[in-house]
Amino acid sequence: MRYSPQKIEKKWQKIWAKKNYQIWHASDLPKKKHLYLLDMFPYPSGEGLHVGHVEGYTASDILSRYYRMQGYEVLHPMGWDAFGLPAENYALKTKKPPQEIVPQNIKRFKEQMQSLGFSYDWQREINTTDPDYYKWTQWIFLQLFKKGLAYEEETYVNWCPSCKTVLADEEIEEGKCERCGTKVERRKLKQWVLKITAYAERLLQDLDLLDWPERVKTMQRNWIGKSEGVEIEFKIADTDKYLKVFTTRPDTLFGVTYLVLAPEHPLIPEITPSNTQNEIKRYLAESLQKSDFERQANLTEKTGVFTGAYALNPATKERIPIWVSDYVLMGYGTGAIMAVPAHDERDFSFAKEFHLPIKEVIAPEGKPHLEELEKPYSGEGILVNSGPFTGLDSQTAREKIALFVNAKKVVNYKLRDWIFSRQRYWGEPIPIIKCPRCGNVPLEEKDLPLKLPQIKKYEPTGNQESPLADITSWVKVTCPKCHGEALRETNTMPQWAGSSWYYLRYLDPKNKKFLVEKKKAQTWLPVDIYIGGVEHAVLHLLYARFWHKFLLDLGVVTTPEPFQKLINQGVILGEDGEKMSKSRGNVVNPDTIIQQYGADSLRMYEMFLGPLSFSKPWSSQGIIGIFRFLNRIWDLVTSEPQKKDGLKLTKEAQEKLKKELQELERLEQLTIKKVTEDIENIHFNTAISALMEYVNRLNDFPKEYLPKKYLKTLVLLLSPFAPHLAEELGKTYLHQRGLISQSKWPSYDKKLVEEKQFKLLIQVNGKLKATLEVNKGISKNLAQKSALPLVQKYLGKKKVKKVIFVPDRLINFVI
RNA sequence: GUCCUUGUGGCGGAAUUGGUAUACGCGUAGCGUUCAGAACGCUAUCCCGCAAGGGUUGUGGGUUCGAGUCCCACCAAGGACACCA
């Protein structure tokens, strides 16, 4: 019979599916050693699963199957991150409610996952759009609100005048709405905001606890953007008012030649004299309208106006002008800066533009330039032109000058609070009632979930509210506090809400009383291995860490971090080496591949392609190579060897066979070792190479003398990668009793792996010249004696200066 | 601009972590099988050389008995952030 994945895969999927996949169920409170293996759950789009999903999910499936065979209780769940724009946009187009579309997409995704043989514990399936789930998303929001960590604030948002809606940053491409191409405007709107900044320091510090790729940690560190500096007060000339600026370089204070305020700075109207007011107003109007994209479009050209007011440099008492420019951001520091054009690039180009003085106060060697500076110098050095501080090195001066002007030490973060409302339909309703008398009143916990009502129109209202605002029956409520008339909050939560805590719900998916029982959280957390793409390096992974820490403070969980080890899978590119996309026509559909070669080939091919974290192009020839390999295994295991008839082997042949068997035994042991270690280190590509070498050797061996145990080992080692084929071969051809996936992982004998002899490398000046088979533990003297004759011709008459001997490895003659 | 990652055959990649560079697979070529093709099997496949031998891990330098691996500089590709004072 030929290998026919189409037949055997369906068969085994049915067997695994018995009693809702009972064989993959993990108990709530396991007694034995246990492991939580988590995938980043997908957004169930209409497109179905793509090969990138398959890569990450196969990797975690291999680990799950492997650790189960090693005797672990493995929690390996799957669910759906189903709120969000695509479903809503699709609803807008087709007039079909997302409530109908989403289940269809989920059904398709689930079928595809099952057709790949992924060993998920489906009794723990969750769906972020299920009221039983988002009840607890809303509950977490209420706790944040009660602790003052969710608040409302007027902030500027991206507004698409054509779609009449607020856009998230991700929905903007080059300053234009990604859907209609209209130029995005800036509007001030009242928004719900989560105070993630309150956790900035912990989010930064605890990165050290994590076993994550260094670059993801770096990205989070940069995103949090901690910077330590001081706040210095500048007196505004001819008034009693003071202006605070933040700086990390107080050592440059003597080089400050002007101050700059952000256009949003509240002090501007107060300090502007009447003769410059019109000009200032014009500039503010202009820059406040610009979108962030436009403000940043040209980083080198600076704009700005002089306010007409002056400040006094606290160090020199000089009068310096106060300017307004949009290169200063209100959201960072104090919204005002002291400009040191000689030592800051931005200040330098601003000073050049407006012909402001540039005063050098730091020189690398302590010698000031005589001619005009050509570019700013922002490094360390010796102070010049700095009064009593001249001659100090910049780092000492930093402390001394700060002390001199009474500056306060301040820590600033780039991290901003998380804007949490969306003027959208398809998201979790925010459980708040807006009462004209009581203000924002939280819903009572017993009234959760606040269900999302069905609506007919998904178009935004245009008056900056979500489509929910049009459903009067839903919006109008009585205030729980004063029982007067009140309105519901009509904004919904962003995409990221549901995914910020889903790994908790898997632990206790049906709990009606609480989001997760503490004992279960304590047992299973943190997630041992979390696999997903790098695209979530900051947003999702930072938000989830924030919520986790908040839940730690509430006592819901007990670990400081949610995900102990993070693994990023790389992107699978199209065959042309470009990103897969419909427009390029280079998309590979997993369904087609499964039909042609089977799920086992697809799984194994994606793992063989290269290291998991690499980006690598798809190859339609490459998958054939894996398909051939699985065919060779099939033929090897299923072929009936010819009967050994009475013919006796000669003594010589017997000896030879005995030796070959010994070698085979050793190779088997080595292969077990290699595959075991490679799986644990997530080196699946080399694990598969080792299996190939093992199979090649088995194929060379005379079949009639090949003991079945070597085939059994092969099937066991193969099973995490190609589970269907392994089950079929085990059951039908090796007469395995139970399921291969429930068997014990083979172990190896350390003594057998070790060899008595080794190949001594003989080098001359570090270059390999010969090798020699010798016993292990050979002494330097003996090695030298036996090796020397072999390399005599390279030594000639030259004298051996030195002999380097590495035990059980090499000997090197230096001449 | 800043930060991060990666540079090994025609291609994906391997290398006991400083010790035989190019494992495994793809592709290609030749041969076998076949009426023929597909499929399969065998052999070869980094470069120069008939050979002995010599050279080769983006480029240049350094450390070392010995460097693909460590250090410095440069070049190239990819990614992230981007006026954060």
Side-chain angles (χ1 to χ4, degrees), chain A residues 212-228:
Chain A
W212 283 19
E214 216 32 64
R215 67 177 184 136
V216 175
K217 289 205 222 177
T218 309
M219 279 164 77
Q220 291 218 351
R221 282 190 195 107
N222 292 343
W223 189 266
I224 295 168
K226 181 178 183 174
S227 103
E228 290 171 85

Side-chain angles (χ1 to χ4, degrees), chain A residues 175-348:
Chain A
K176 289 176 185 160
C177 171
E178 77 172 354
R179 247 190 307 164
C180 66
T182 313
K183 219 170 87 181
V184 173
E185 289 173 8
R186 224 163 156 246
R187 283 211 186 173
K188 210 172 190 184
L189 277 187
K190 222 175 192 186
Q191 301 279 319
W192 281 99
V193 182
L194 299 190
K195 211 169 188 162
I196 189 171
T197 50
Y199 284 78
E201 191 59 32
R202 283 163 72 187
L203 288 168
L204 182 68
Q205 294 297 330
D206 289 354
L207 283 172
D208 294 340
L209 307 174
L210 299 175
D211 181 11
W212 283 19
E214 216 32 64
R215 67 177 184 136
V216 175
K217 289 205 222 177
T218 309
M219 279 164 77
Q220 291 218 351
R221 282 190 195 107
N222 292 343
W223 189 266
I224 295 168
K226 181 178 183 174
S227 103
E228 290 171 85
V230 296
E231 267 177 20
I232 299 177
E233 291 196 327
F234 283 70
K235 189 169 192 295
I236 297 171
D238 315 317
T239 71
D240 306 328
K241 293 190 177 77
Y242 283 86
L243 193 62
K244 268 189 199 164
V245 304
F246 172 74
T247 180
T248 53
R249 295 297 300 269
D251 50 318
T252 61
L253 187 55
F254 286 79
V256 175
T257 53
Y258 58 101
L259 298 183
V260 190
L261 306 182
E264 298 91 342
H265 201 285
L267 227 52
I268 296 174
E270 288 181 46
I271 62 164
T272 310
S274 49
N275 60 331
T276 54
Q277 260 175 19
N278 285 338
E279 207 186 331
I280 289 285
K281 270 186 192 154
R282 202 175 333 119
Y283 181 74
L284 295 192
E286 199 181 290
S287 63
L288 293 181
Q289 238 197 12
K290 279 195 214 167
S291 70
D292 282 353
F293 179 78
E294 287 173 300
R295 247 171 107 158
Q296 293 167 14
N298 203 332
L299 294 185
T300 45
E301 268 173 42
K302 301 271 183 284
T303 62
V305 278
F306 175 45
T307 60
Y310 289 86
L312 299 178
N313 184 327
T316 62
K317 309 295 178 210
E318 278 171 321
R319 275 169 78 92
I320 51 173
I322 305 176
W323 285 67
V324 175
S325 171
D326 60 10
Y327 84 88
V328 176
L329 309 172
M330 193 59 220
Y332 185 79
T334 61
I337 61 150
M338 55 178 232
V340 189
H343 305 290
D344 182 281
E345 225 168 287
R346 296 147 300 174
D347 298 344
F348 185 84

